[in-house]
Amino acid sequence: MTGSSPKPDCDDSESSEERFSLEEFFVAPWGLANEERPVHLLWDGDIERLELRIADPVELVEGYNIQGDISDFVKDLPGEEGYCLLRISKSDFLVPGYFNTKFRIPEIFENAMTGQPIQAEFLLENGEVIQYSSQTFTIRPQLELLDSPKEIELTEGDESVTLPVHMQYIGFGMAEVEMDMEGEGDLISKGESIHHDILRAMAESGILTKESEELGPIPEEWKQKHGVEIPDEELRDIGNEVRELAREDKLRDEFDEATLERIVDALEEGEEHEAEIYDHIEVMLLDSILNAVDRHPAENVRMANPNAHLEIESRVREFVLSYDLKDKIGNEYKSIEVPINIDDKRPDGGILEVEVETEWDNHELDPDEILDQLEEEI
């Protein structure tokens, strides 16, 4: 993005252009909150001073071609409130004719795009001042609830229910969404389905003791086919979660108690056996994730726990789905909450299994196209 045409303070514009010319004024036209963005200035001619004003909020990261740290040139002057002012004299440049800096916008704005002006001001040797203006936009992804059930009505014999939730993602590339579920203010489930899937797979695959002959090596062609590996530390964390899940009393009806105990023991064995078990867990985990992605395809949204499974007791009369959005550099945005009432008419109550199936509409935005529209409006 280039700056506007020079605006000299005097009438001798032709002589000013002969002595000075701005070759390039580039400002990153857009970026996410807290994402580093560059500013590049290149000029021809002698100057006494460069002043750069960037609207607050802004954090300067570093500067190039200056003698000292970028913070040494930040000035706090009356009448400059609302701007970060950089003042650099010609003697402060290592090499005359250019200046680069990087900055961040630390605030997460509510609008999809929020603009902030940037101004470069050159003081020439004869006292003339020439200004150039540009701007940068802070972008943010957004979630929107399109449709969801308002209430679940349960009748005698109901033990499970599937909830269709329709969401829309509006943004500028990949984002991650994590779904939590709460009832009566208590956390009920947070992505337990994958750990549950792995536990079931372990129970069915013969991972029982270190002497089990059913634990053969993982074929190398499998990893070559998928091209995916999971870090050992992550696998250990997942193994810990599966082990704790296997200890819960609520699983005794689904799995044989002896099988659960052998799985717990196997996960607590030494490093040699641990490696063998975790090779198998890696395969089970990836199979679970790939199956979930097949059920919930989305090009620009990655669900941290896409196939959420929930068990609720009849005493819970309402629960809330919470969709938490995080962008590619880790910024977290306001959650979308989906409250769902439970009208439980079952005479004996009991445990209800709830499967949440989230359908995604993706509305990909092109910041450059939006900028063109904004400039036309201005």
Side-chain angles (χ1 to χ4, degrees), residues 300-317:
N300 299 305
V301 179
R302 183 173 73 86
M303 288 291 291
N305 48 347
N307 190 31
H309 177 84
L310 170 69
E311 289 187 357
I312 59 176
E313 297 181 17
S314 57
R315 64 179 175 84
V316 180
R317 299 300 177 184

Side-chain angles (χ1 to χ4, degrees), residues 40-188:
H40 175 65
L41 288 157
L42 178 67
W43 63 91
D44 183 29
D46 295 327
I47 65 169
E48 287 294 319
R49 186 179 69 223
L50 166 65
E51 290 189 353
L52 189 67
R53 291 169 173 81
I54 306 176
D56 283 326
V58 62
E59 293 178 357
L60 297 171
V61 178
E62 54 189 330
Y64 304 91
N65 193 36
I66 51 176
Q67 303 189 54
D69 188 81
I70 188 67
S71 61
D72 299 335
F73 302 96
V74 177
K75 306 300 178 182
D76 184 13
L77 298 177
E80 298 291 346
E81 291 84 1
Y83 282 85
C84 175
L85 171 63
L86 279 173
R87 175 173 288 175
I88 307 172
S89 301
K90 67 177 181 180
S91 59
D92 296 318
F93 291 107
L94 298 174
V95 177
Y98 80 93
F99 172 66
N100 297 339
T101 187
K102 292 181 180 179
F103 67 94
R104 284 192 292 257
I105 305 299
E107 184 169 335
I108 295 178
F109 300 101
E110 290 297 323
N111 295 330
M113 298 188 71
T114 301
Q116 290 177 268
I118 297 178
Q119 183 186 78
E121 181 179 286
F122 294 88
L123 174 64
L124 306 186
E125 291 182 325
N126 65 353
E128 296 177 35
V129 175
I130 303 179
Q131 294 180 342
Y132 299 84
S133 297
S134 187
Q135 59 187 336
T136 187
F137 285 83
T138 302
I139 61 176
R140 59 160 293 163
Q142 294 177 316
L143 291 182
E144 180 182 349
L145 174 65
L146 298 181
D147 190 28
S148 69
K150 302 297 185 293
E151 183 177 80
I152 305 173
E153 182 177 301
L154 304 178
T155 58
E156 185 174 2
D158 287 340
E159 296 180 354
S160 64
V161 64
T162 299
L163 298 181
V165 178
H166 195 180
M167 300 286 293
Q168 179 173 248
Y169 168 72
I170 304 171
F172 308 87
M174 179 63 72
E176 177 180 293
V177 177
E178 181 173 331
M179 182 173 62
D180 293 344
M181 301 182 184
E182 295 183 0
E184 294 188 348
D186 299 321
L187 184 65
I188 297 176

